[in-house]
Amino acid sequence: MTITDTTTPAAGATSRRLTTAKAMVDAIAQEMERDPSVVYLGEDVGAYGGIFSSTTGLLDRFGPDRVLDTPISETAFIGLGIGAAVEGMRPIVELMFADFMGVCLDQIYNHMAKIHFESGGNVTVPMVLTTAVGGGYSDGAQHSQCLWGTFAHLPGMKVVVPSNPADAKGLMTAAIRDDNPVVYMFHKGVMGLPWMAKNPRATAAVPDGEHVVPIGKAAVAREGSDVTVVTVSLSVHHALDVAEKLAGEDISVEVLDLRSLVPLDREAILASVAKTGRLVVVDEDYLSFGMSGEVVATVTDHDPTMLKAPVQRVAAPDVPIPYSHVLEYAVLPRPERIEAAVRQAVTG
Amino acid sequence: MTTETESPGSVRADSGQQHLDGATRVGLYETMVLCRTFEEAILREYHADKGPGFDIGKGLIPGEMHLSAGQEPVAAGVCAHLTTDDALTATHRPHHLAIAHGMGLRAMAAEIFGRETGLGRGRGGHMHLFDPATHFSCSGIVAEGYPPALGQAFAFKRQGTDRIAVAVAGEGASNSGAFHESINLAAMWTLPVVFVVEDNDWAISVPRDAATAVKSNATRAVAYDIPGERIEGNDVEATWAAAKRAVARARAGEGPSLIEVHTLRLWGHFEGDAQGYRPELAEVPSYDPIPRYEQILRAAGLLDDDAVARAAATAKEKVEDAVDFAKNSPLPDPASATSYVFA
């Protein structure tokens, strides 16, 4: 593994510049150090270090009893995580791609997410389900989906979607310590992988030591006054790039990074839209019946008169993610589409 | 087992390999009677207020009801070797296993009646019984109770205990991916699991012969290089003997085993099932394992009229107490319907 790990600390602060992947591993290692009941299991998480570097170095540090390569049996090993969590462990279980949920969804939504409820609160399932999401590198329709809207639609699991290294660490720490099942969805495009195009912000300062980001609190990634862009994950970076560009034209864009879909920080959405009166939602997941609609409904349920202009939604337009690069980029929420939507929102 | 003293009425079950003493045999009988008595009470209460006609959503016990009459030999034979520290995951037809494993009847009945005093405060229902005190759980999804049992066994093993997990599924489940994935993983990681298949011949209306390519799921155990046994004749003592071997192997850290018991679904798949698909329907009651076992124990001098009456009375008292408790318990507050989604 050749993850970039520049160790130039910010002046006077105890932090290091890490990739998102490295920050995620940092949190897992700290929690494994702190709590012997934390284990990590999944496909290729041992010697390989996770296909998307989610576990690099953990096997060497904690050994094969705590970092376990599984057979390609997602139903069995996710179920194993559930049973272990019920008996007091805090397993982290990796589903290599969120797209693979189809082979094991029953354990996820009928068991992991429902046992606490069905037991009337008597049984807890403190596990983390990590999974890679997102496209942009021509991996085709079965390896490029985000699907966070699908997970978020099904009650009983928190859904965390970090966009940057510091949040990746802080949200992972919070997820491991949470007494609920938490689905931790990391976009391949923010991990800082050396073999994939990445945004420069995929490497950034990460606090040393214990770092917890509470699940359910959105972050204002950039303050602005003319229009609010609500988004998550890789799209946060695209939105920030667009905001930077439009600042030169005196268009002030506020970028709100939700950081989790469940719980959804509705107050943060309302606070920002109350300020700007204009809303763009950017979602790499499918357009219909998903996150973008939920964000809009959050505003219109509260007070539709907050909006000075029609809402713009930039999402995957209800087609499978195409393979060919030009087709894929035509459906992904690329910066060009986001910029056009922002312009429409401020002039409309 | 050759050093054990063979008391009056004892037998060597399972071709003489396992010694089964008289008290244990009577215990198996009493467990089966308790399970059956509970199911008969639920049957009575379930149908008491479904009319006019039959409305599945009506009455004090609404919804689907899968009763386990006829399958008591599996529960009694397997659970005799477990303590409440061992985990048990069961199916949509879970009552006999829950009772044999030692679940409190009051909280169980209250859950079936959808009451606030139930195991799940009325959120679960009869297919979703979760009892931390006995590490019991069940799933309404066929075969999907197997995978969580792996994790319970995984946790017990890492905690350095000799606790085990028993995972029960029906024969219809043995053709699903969860079944095979689970057995392979348990074998790979030498997990202390006993896999049990209750073969009651029917996956709802589809007979085993029309769905399952192998005559015995012990064959499938071979495929995963673990011990497998099939018990014919719904035989509680042979089940007990097979479970004794499998449980001992799991406790000793030697890994999983599979036991398939050819059992009997005495009643329908669920209440309201007219079973028109079942050709030998009229003969089914004659296969009831409880009167049959009672005759065996009478012949062995272990049961007489008084003992049988006592077992029935004791079971009835416990069950009716649980049913009364349930019926007199408060319903959940509708305002709390959204509680317990998150801890």
Side-chain angles (χ1 to χ4, degrees), chain A residues 8-89:
Chain A
T8 315
T14 53
S15 67
R16 289 173 295 161
R17 286 181 59 78
L18 299 176
T19 63
T20 301
K22 197 78 178 172
M24 187 177 152
V25 172
D26 198 30
I28 296 165
Q30 282 184 10
E31 292 307 293
M32 288 183 76
E33 201 68 65
R34 180 179 161 271
D35 182 350
S37 77
V38 178
V39 294
Y40 201 110
L41 48 110
E43 294 155 4
D44 305 292
V45 302
Y48 196 102
I51 295 300
F52 302 105
S53 299
S54 55
T55 59
T56 304
L58 291 178
L59 176 67
D60 288 344
R61 191 157 160 199
F62 296 99
D65 284 344
R66 297 188 66 193
V67 181
L68 296 95
D69 273 329
T70 61
I72 303 172
S73 305
E74 289 85 353
T75 288
F77 71 73
I78 291 173
L80 188 151
I82 294 166
V86 163
E87 295 299 341
M89 297 186 68

Coordinates of all heavy atoms in Angstrom, one line a residue, chain A residues 8-89:
Chain A
T8 N 3.5 16.7 7.9 CA 3.8 18.1 8.2 C 2.6 18.6 9.1 O 1.5 18.8 8.6 CB 3.9 19.0 6.9 OG1 4.7 18.3 6.0 CG2 4.4 20.3 7.3
P9 N 2.8 18.8 10.3 CA 1.7 19.2 11.2 C 1.4 20.7 11.0 O 2.3 21.5 10.6 CB 2.3 19.0 12.6 CG 3.8 19.1 12.5 CD 4.1 18.6 11.1
A10 N 0.1 21.0 11.1 CA -0.2 22.4 11.1 C 0.4 23.1 12.3 O 0.7 22.5 13.3 CB -1.8 22.6 11.2
A11 N 0.8 24.4 12.1 CA 1.6 25.1 13.1 C 0.9 25.1 14.4 O -0.2 25.5 14.6 CB 1.8 26.6 12.6
G12 N 1.6 24.6 15.4 CA 1.2 24.7 16.8 C 0.0 23.7 17.1 O -0.4 23.6 18.3
A13 N -0.5 22.9 16.1 CA -1.6 22.1 16.4 C -1.1 20.6 16.4 O -0.1 20.3 15.7 CB -2.7 22.2 15.4
T14 N -1.7 19.8 17.2 CA -1.4 18.4 17.2 C -2.2 17.7 16.1 O -3.3 17.1 16.4 CB -1.6 17.7 18.5 OG1 -2.9 18.0 18.9 CG2 -0.6 18.3 19.6
S15 N -1.8 17.8 14.9 CA -2.5 17.1 13.8 C -1.5 16.7 12.8 O -0.3 17.2 12.8 CB -3.6 18.1 13.2 OG -2.9 19.1 12.5
R16 N -1.9 15.8 12.0 CA -1.1 15.4 10.8 C -1.9 15.5 9.6 O -3.2 15.3 9.6 CB -0.7 13.9 11.0 CG 0.3 13.7 12.1 CD 0.6 12.2 12.3 NE -0.7 11.6 12.8 CZ -0.9 10.3 12.7 NH1 0.0 9.4 12.2 NH2 -2.0 9.8 13.2
R17 N -1.3 15.6 8.5 CA -2.0 15.6 7.2 C -2.1 14.1 6.8 O -1.1 13.4 6.6 CB -1.2 16.4 6.1 CG -1.4 17.9 6.3 CD -0.7 18.7 5.3 NE -1.2 18.4 3.9 CZ -2.3 18.9 3.4 NH1 -3.1 19.7 4.1 NH2 -2.7 18.6 2.2
L18 N -3.3 13.7 6.6 CA -3.6 12.3 6.3 C -4.6 12.2 5.1 O -5.4 13.1 5.0 CB -4.2 11.5 7.5 CG -3.4 11.4 8.8 CD1 -4.2 10.7 9.8 CD2 -2.1 10.6 8.5
T19 N -4.5 11.1 4.4 CA -5.6 10.8 3.5 C -6.8 10.4 4.3 O -6.7 10.0 5.5 CB -5.3 9.7 2.5 OG1 -5.1 8.5 3.3 CG2 -4.0 10.0 1.7
T20 N -8.0 10.5 3.6 CA -9.2 10.0 4.3 C -9.1 8.5 4.7 O -9.5 8.2 5.8 CB -10.4 10.2 3.3 OG1 -10.5 11.6 3.0 CG2 -11.7 9.7 4.0
A21 N -8.5 7.7 3.9 CA -8.3 6.3 4.2 C -7.5 6.2 5.5 O -7.8 5.4 6.4 CB -7.7 5.6 3.0
K22 N -6.4 6.9 5.5 CA -5.4 6.8 6.6 C -6.1 7.3 7.9 O -5.9 6.7 9.0 CB -4.2 7.6 6.3 CG -3.0 7.3 7.2 CD -2.3 6.0 6.7 CE -1.1 5.7 7.6 NZ -0.5 4.4 7.3
A23 N -6.9 8.3 7.8 CA -7.6 8.9 8.9 C -8.6 7.9 9.5 O -8.8 7.7 10.7 CB -8.3 10.2 8.5
M24 N -9.3 7.2 8.5 CA -10.3 6.2 8.9 C -9.5 5.0 9.7 O -10.0 4.6 10.8 CB -10.9 5.6 7.6 CG -12.0 4.7 7.8 SD -12.7 4.3 6.1 CE -13.4 2.7 6.4
V25 N -8.4 4.6 9.2 CA -7.7 3.5 9.8 C -7.1 4.0 11.2 O -7.1 3.2 12.1 CB -6.5 3.1 8.9 CG1 -5.5 2.1 9.7 CG2 -7.0 2.5 7.6
D26 N -6.8 5.3 11.3 CA -6.3 5.8 12.5 C -7.4 5.7 13.6 O -7.1 5.2 14.7 CB -6.0 7.3 12.3 CG -5.1 7.9 13.4 OD1 -4.3 7.1 13.9 OD2 -5.2 9.1 13.7
A27 N -8.6 6.0 13.3 CA -9.7 5.9 14.2 C -9.9 4.4 14.6 O -10.1 4.1 15.8 CB -11.0 6.4 13.7
I28 N -9.9 3.5 13.6 CA -10.1 2.1 13.9 C -9.0 1.6 14.8 O -9.3 0.9 15.8 CB -10.2 1.3 12.6 CG1 -11.4 1.7 11.8 CG2 -10.3 -0.2 12.9 CD1 -11.3 1.3 10.3
A29 N -7.8 1.9 14.5 CA -6.7 1.4 15.3 C -6.8 2.0 16.8 O -6.6 1.2 17.7 CB -5.4 1.9 14.7
Q30 N -7.1 3.2 16.9 CA -7.2 3.8 18.3 C -8.3 3.0 19.1 O -8.2 2.7 20.2 CB -7.6 5.3 18.2 CG -6.3 6.1 17.9 CD -6.6 7.6 18.0 OE1 -7.7 8.0 18.4 NE2 -5.7 8.4 17.5
E31 N -9.4 2.8 18.4 CA -10.5 2.1 19.1 C -10.2 0.6 19.4 O -10.6 0.1 20.4 CB -11.8 2.2 18.3 CG -12.4 3.7 18.3 CD -12.5 4.3 19.6 OE1 -13.4 3.8 20.4 OE2 -11.8 5.2 19.9
M32 N -9.5 0.0 18.5 CA -9.1 -1.4 18.7 C -8.1 -1.5 19.9 O -8.1 -2.4 20.7 CB -8.4 -2.0 17.5 CG -9.5 -2.3 16.4 SD -8.8 -3.1 14.9 CE -8.6 -4.7 15.5
E33 N -7.3 -0.4 20.0 CA -6.3 -0.3 21.1 C -7.1 -0.2 22.4 O -6.7 -0.8 23.4 CB -5.4 0.9 20.9 CG -4.1 0.9 21.6 CD -3.1 -0.1 21.1 OE1 -2.7 0.0 19.9 OE2 -2.8 -1.0 21.8
R34 N -8.1 0.6 22.4 CA -8.8 1.0 23.6 C -9.8 -0.1 24.0 O -10.1 -0.2 25.2 CB -9.6 2.3 23.2 CG -10.4 2.9 24.2 CD -11.1 4.2 23.6 NE -12.2 4.6 24.4 CZ -13.4 4.2 24.2 NH1 -13.7 3.4 23.2 NH2 -14.4 4.6 25.0
D35 N -10.4 -0.8 23.1 CA -11.5 -1.7 23.4 C -11.2 -3.1 22.7 O -11.3 -3.2 21.5 CB -12.8 -1.1 22.8 CG -14.0 -2.0 23.1 OD1 -13.8 -3.1 23.6 OD2 -15.1 -1.5 22.9
P36 N -10.9 -4.1 23.5 CA -10.6 -5.4 22.9 C -11.7 -6.1 22.2 O -11.5 -7.0 21.5 CB -10.1 -6.2 24.1 CG -10.6 -5.5 25.3 CD -10.7 -4.1 25.0
S37 N -12.9 -5.6 22.4 CA -14.1 -6.2 21.7 C -14.3 -5.7 20.3 O -15.1 -6.2 19.6 CB -15.4 -5.9 22.5 OG -15.8 -4.6 22.3
V38 N -13.4 -4.7 19.9 CA -13.5 -4.3 18.5 C -12.7 -5.2 17.6 O -11.5 -5.4 17.8 CB -13.0 -2.8 18.4 CG1 -13.1 -2.3 16.9 CG2 -13.8 -1.9 19.3
V39 N -13.4 -5.7 16.6 CA -12.7 -6.5 15.5 C -13.1 -6.0 14.2 O -14.1 -5.3 14.1 CB -13.0 -8.0 15.7 CG1 -12.5 -8.6 16.9 CG2 -14.5 -8.3 15.5
Y40 N -12.3 -6.3 13.2 CA -12.7 -5.9 11.8 C -12.7 -7.1 10.9 O -11.8 -7.9 10.9 CB -11.6 -4.9 11.3 CG -12.1 -4.0 10.1 CD1 -12.4 -2.6 10.3 CD2 -12.4 -4.5 8.8 CE1 -12.8 -1.8 9.3 CE2 -12.8 -3.7 7.8 CZ -13.1 -2.4 8.0 OH -13.5 -1.6 7.0
L41 N -13.8 -7.3 10.2 CA -13.8 -8.5 9.3 C -14.5 -8.1 8.0 O -15.3 -7.2 7.9 CB -14.5 -9.6 10.0 CG -15.8 -9.5 10.7 CD1 -17.0 -10.2 9.9 CD2 -15.8 -10.1 12.1
G42 N -14.0 -8.8 7.0 CA -14.6 -8.6 5.7 C -13.7 -9.2 4.6 O -12.7 -9.9 5.0
E43 N -14.0 -8.9 3.4 CA -13.2 -9.5 2.3 C -11.9 -8.7 2.0 O -12.0 -7.5 1.8 CB -14.1 -9.6 1.0 CG -15.2 -10.6 1.2 CD -16.4 -10.3 0.3 OE1 -16.3 -9.4 -0.5 OE2 -17.4 -11.0 0.4
D44 N -10.8 -9.3 2.0 CA -9.5 -8.7 1.7 C -9.2 -7.5 2.6 O -8.6 -6.5 2.2 CB -9.6 -8.2 0.2 CG -9.9 -9.4 -0.7 OD1 -9.1 -10.3 -0.9 OD2 -11.0 -9.4 -1.3
V45 N -9.6 -7.7 3.9 CA -9.2 -6.6 4.8 C -7.9 -6.9 5.6 O -7.5 -6.1 6.3 CB -10.4 -6.4 5.9 CG1 -11.7 -6.0 5.1 CG2 -10.6 -7.6 6.7
G46 N -7.4 -8.1 5.4 CA -6.2 -8.5 6.1 C -5.0 -8.1 5.4 O -4.6 -6.9 5.3
A47 N -4.3 -9.1 4.8 CA -3.0 -8.8 4.1 C -3.1 -7.7 3.0 O -2.2 -6.9 2.9 CB -2.4 -10.1 3.5
Y48 N -4.2 -7.7 2.3 CA -4.4 -6.7 1.3 C -4.6 -5.3 1.9 O -4.2 -4.3 1.3 CB -5.6 -7.0 0.4 CG -5.7 -6.3 -0.9 CD1 -5.3 -6.9 -2.1 CD2 -6.1 -5.0 -1.0 CE1 -5.3 -6.2 -3.3 CE2 -6.1 -4.3 -2.2 CZ -5.7 -4.9 -3.3 OH -5.8 -4.2 -4.5
G49 N -5.2 -5.2 3.0 CA -5.5 -3.9 3.7 C -6.7 -3.2 3.2 O -6.9 -2.0 3.5
G50 N -7.6 -4.0 2.7 CA -8.9 -3.4 2.2 C -8.7 -2.9 0.8 O -7.7 -2.2 0.5
I51 N -9.6 -3.2 -0.1 CA -9.5 -2.9 -1.5 C -9.3 -1.4 -1.7 O -8.6 -0.9 -2.5 CB -10.7 -3.4 -2.3 CG1 -10.7 -5.0 -2.3 CG2 -10.6 -2.9 -3.8 CD1 -9.4 -5.6 -2.9
F52 N -10.0 -0.6 -0.8 CA -9.9 0.8 -0.8 C -9.1 1.4 0.4 O -9.4 2.5 0.9 CB -11.3 1.4 -1.0 CG -12.0 0.9 -2.2 CD1 -13.0 0.0 -2.1 CD2 -11.6 1.3 -3.5 CE1 -13.6 -0.5 -3.2 CE2 -12.2 0.8 -4.6 CZ -13.2 -0.1 -4.5
S53 N -8.2 0.6 0.9 CA -7.3 1.0 1.9 C -8.0 1.3 3.2 O -7.5 2.1 4.0 CB -6.4 2.1 1.5 OG -5.7 1.8 0.3
S54 N -9.1 0.7 3.5 CA -9.8 1.0 4.7 C -9.2 0.3 6.0 O -9.6 0.6 7.1 CB -11.3 0.5 4.6 OG -11.3 -0.9 4.2
T55 N -8.3 -0.6 5.7 CA -7.7 -1.4 6.9 C -6.2 -1.5 6.8 O -5.6 -2.3 7.5 CB -8.3 -2.8 7.0 OG1 -8.0 -3.5 5.7 CG2 -9.8 -2.8 7.2
T56 N -5.5 -0.6 6.0 CA -4.1 -0.8 5.8 C -3.3 -0.8 7.1 O -3.5 0.1 7.9 CB -3.6 0.4 4.9 OG1 -4.4 0.4 3.7 CG2 -2.1 0.2 4.6
G57 N -2.5 -1.8 7.3 CA -1.7 -1.9 8.5 C -2.3 -2.5 9.7 O -1.6 -2.8 10.7
L58 N -3.6 -2.7 9.7 CA -4.3 -3.2 10.9 C -3.9 -4.7 11.2 O -3.8 -5.0 12.4 CB -5.8 -3.1 10.8 CG -6.4 -1.7 10.8 CD1 -7.9 -1.7 10.6 CD2 -6.1 -1.0 12.1
L59 N -3.8 -5.5 10.2 CA -3.4 -6.9 10.4 C -2.1 -6.9 11.1 O -1.9 -7.7 12.1 CB -3.4 -7.6 9.1 CG -2.9 -9.1 9.2 CD1 -4.0 -9.9 10.0 CD2 -2.7 -9.7 7.8
D60 N -1.1 -6.2 10.6 CA 0.2 -6.2 11.2 C 0.2 -5.8 12.7 O 0.9 -6.3 13.5 CB 1.2 -5.3 10.4 CG 1.5 -5.9 9.1 OD1 1.3 -7.1 8.9 OD2 2.0 -5.1 8.2
R61 N -0.7 -4.8 12.9 CA -0.7 -4.3 14.3 C -1.5 -5.1 15.2 O -1.1 -5.3 16.4 CB -1.3 -2.9 14.2 CG -1.1 -2.1 15.5 CD -1.1 -0.6 15.2 NE -1.5 0.1 16.4 CZ -1.9 1.3 16.5 NH1 -2.1 2.0 15.4 NH2 -2.2 1.9 17.7
F62 N -2.6 -5.7 14.8 CA -3.5 -6.4 15.7 C -3.6 -7.9 15.5 O -4.2 -8.6 16.3 CB -4.9 -5.7 15.7 CG -4.9 -4.3 16.1 CD1 -4.9 -3.2 15.2 CD2 -4.9 -4.0 17.5 CE1 -4.8 -1.9 15.6 CE2 -4.8 -2.7 17.9 CZ -4.8 -1.6 17.0
G63 N -3.1 -8.4 14.4 CA -3.1 -9.8 14.2 C -4.3 -10.4 13.6 O -5.4 -9.7 13.6
P64 N -4.3 -11.6 13.2 CA -5.4 -12.3 12.5 C -6.6 -12.6 13.4 O -7.6 -12.9 12.9 CB -4.8 -13.5 11.9 CG -3.6 -13.8 12.8 CD -3.1 -12.5 13.3
D65 N -6.4 -12.5 14.7 CA -7.6 -12.8 15.6 C -8.5 -11.6 15.6 O -9.7 -11.7 16.0 CB -7.1 -13.1 17.0 CG -6.6 -14.5 17.1 OD1 -6.8 -15.3 16.2 OD2 -5.9 -14.8 18.1
R66 N -8.0 -10.4 15.2 CA -8.8 -9.2 15.3 C -9.1 -8.5 13.9 O -9.9 -7.7 13.8 CB -8.2 -8.2 16.3 CG -8.2 -8.8 17.7 CD -7.8 -7.8 18.7 NE -8.7 -6.7 18.9 CZ -8.5 -5.6 19.5 NH1 -7.3 -5.4 20.1 NH2 -9.4 -4.7 19.7
V67 N -8.3 -9.0 13.0 CA -8.5 -8.5 11.6 C -8.7 -9.7 10.7 O -7.7 -10.4 10.4 CB -7.4 -7.6 11.1 CG1 -7.6 -7.0 9.7 CG2 -7.1 -6.4 12.1
L68 N -9.9 -10.0 10.3 CA -10.2 -11.3 9.8 C -10.7 -11.2 8.3 O -11.7 -10.6 8.0 CB -11.3 -12.0 10.6 CG -10.9 -12.3 12.1 CD1 -11.4 -11.2 13.0 CD2 -11.6 -13.6 12.5
D69 N -10.0 -11.9 7.5 CA -10.4 -12.1 6.1 C -11.5 -13.1 6.1 O -11.4 -14.2 6.7 CB -9.3 -12.6 5.2 CG -8.5 -11.4 4.6 OD1 -9.0 -10.3 4.4 OD2 -7.3 -11.6 4.4
T70 N -12.6 -12.8 5.4 CA -13.7 -13.7 5.4 C -13.9 -14.4 4.0 O -13.3 -13.9 3.0 CB -15.1 -13.0 5.6 OG1 -15.2 -12.0 4.6 CG2 -15.1 -12.3 7.0
P71 N -14.6 -15.5 4.0 CA -15.0 -16.0 2.6 C -15.9 -15.0 2.0 O -16.5 -14.1 2.6 CB -15.6 -17.3 2.9 CG -15.9 -17.4 4.4 CD -15.1 -16.3 5.0
I72 N -16.2 -15.2 0.7 CA -17.1 -14.3 0.0 C -18.5 -14.8 0.3 O -19.2 -15.4 -0.4 CB -16.9 -14.3 -1.5 CG1 -15.4 -13.9 -1.8 CG2 -17.8 -13.3 -2.2 CD1 -15.0 -14.0 -3.2
S73 N -18.9 -14.5 1.6 CA -20.2 -15.0 2.1 C -20.8 -13.8 2.9 O -20.8 -13.9 4.2 CB -19.9 -16.2 3.0 OG -19.3 -17.2 2.4
E74 N -21.2 -12.8 2.3 CA -21.6 -11.6 3.0 C -22.8 -11.8 3.9 O -22.8 -11.3 5.0 CB -22.0 -10.5 2.0 CG -20.9 -9.9 1.2 CD -20.5 -10.7 0.0 OE1 -21.0 -11.8 -0.3 OE2 -19.6 -10.2 -0.8
T75 N -23.7 -12.7 3.6 CA -24.8 -13.0 4.5 C -24.3 -13.6 5.8 O -24.7 -13.2 6.9 CB -25.8 -14.0 3.8 OG1 -26.5 -13.2 2.8 CG2 -26.8 -14.5 4.8
A76 N -23.3 -14.5 5.6 CA -22.8 -15.2 6.8 C -22.0 -14.3 7.7 O -22.1 -14.2 8.9 CB -22.0 -16.4 6.4
F77 N -21.1 -13.5 7.1 CA -20.2 -12.7 7.9 C -20.9 -11.4 8.4 O -20.5 -11.0 9.5 CB -18.8 -12.5 7.3 CG -18.7 -11.6 6.2 CD1 -18.8 -10.2 6.3 CD2 -18.4 -12.1 4.9 CE1 -18.6 -9.4 5.2 CE2 -18.2 -11.3 3.8 CZ -18.3 -9.9 4.0
I78 N -21.8 -10.9 7.7 CA -22.5 -9.7 8.3 C -23.4 -10.3 9.5 O -23.5 -9.7 10.5 CB -23.4 -9.0 7.2 CG1 -22.4 -8.3 6.3 CG2 -24.3 -8.0 7.9 CD1 -23.0 -7.6 5.1
G79 N -24.1 -11.4 9.2 CA -24.8 -12.0 10.3 C -24.0 -12.3 11.5 O -24.4 -12.2 12.7
L80 N -22.7 -12.8 11.2 CA -21.8 -13.1 12.3 C -21.5 -11.8 13.1 O -21.5 -11.8 14.4 CB -20.5 -13.6 11.8 CG -19.5 -14.2 12.8 CD1 -18.6 -15.3 12.1 CD2 -18.6 -13.1 13.3
G81 N -21.4 -10.7 12.4 CA -21.2 -9.4 13.1 C -22.4 -9.1 14.0 O -22.2 -8.6 15.1
I82 N -23.6 -9.3 13.5 CA -24.8 -9.0 14.3 C -24.8 -9.9 15.6 O -25.0 -9.3 16.7 CB -26.0 -9.3 13.4 CG1 -26.1 -8.4 12.3 CG2 -27.3 -9.3 14.3 CD1 -27.1 -8.8 11.2
G83 N -24.5 -11.2 15.4 CA -24.6 -12.0 16.6 C -23.5 -11.7 17.6 O -23.7 -11.7 18.8
A84 N -22.3 -11.3 17.1 CA -21.2 -10.9 18.0 C -21.6 -9.6 18.7 O -21.3 -9.5 19.9 CB -19.9 -10.8 17.2
A85 N -22.2 -8.7 18.0 CA -22.6 -7.4 18.6 C -23.7 -7.7 19.7 O -23.6 -7.1 20.8 CB -23.1 -6.5 17.6
V86 N -24.6 -8.6 19.4 CA -25.6 -8.9 20.4 C -25.0 -9.4 21.7 O -25.5 -9.2 22.8 CB -26.6 -9.9 19.8 CG1 -27.4 -10.6 20.9 CG2 -27.5 -9.2 18.8
E87 N -23.9 -10.1 21.5 CA -23.2 -10.7 22.7 C -22.1 -9.8 23.3 O -21.2 -10.3 24.0 CB -22.7 -12.1 22.4 CG -23.7 -13.1 22.0 CD -24.7 -13.4 23.2 OE1 -24.4 -13.1 24.3 OE2 -25.8 -13.9 22.9
G88 N -22.1 -8.5 22.9 CA -21.3 -7.6 23.6 C -20.0 -7.1 22.9 O -19.3 -6.3 23.5
M89 N -19.8 -7.7 21.7 CA -18.6 -7.2 21.0 C -19.0 -5.9 20.2 O -20.2 -5.6 20.1 CB -18.1 -8.3 20.1 CG -17.6 -9.5 20.8 SD -16.8 -10.7 19.8 CE -15.3 -9.9 19.3

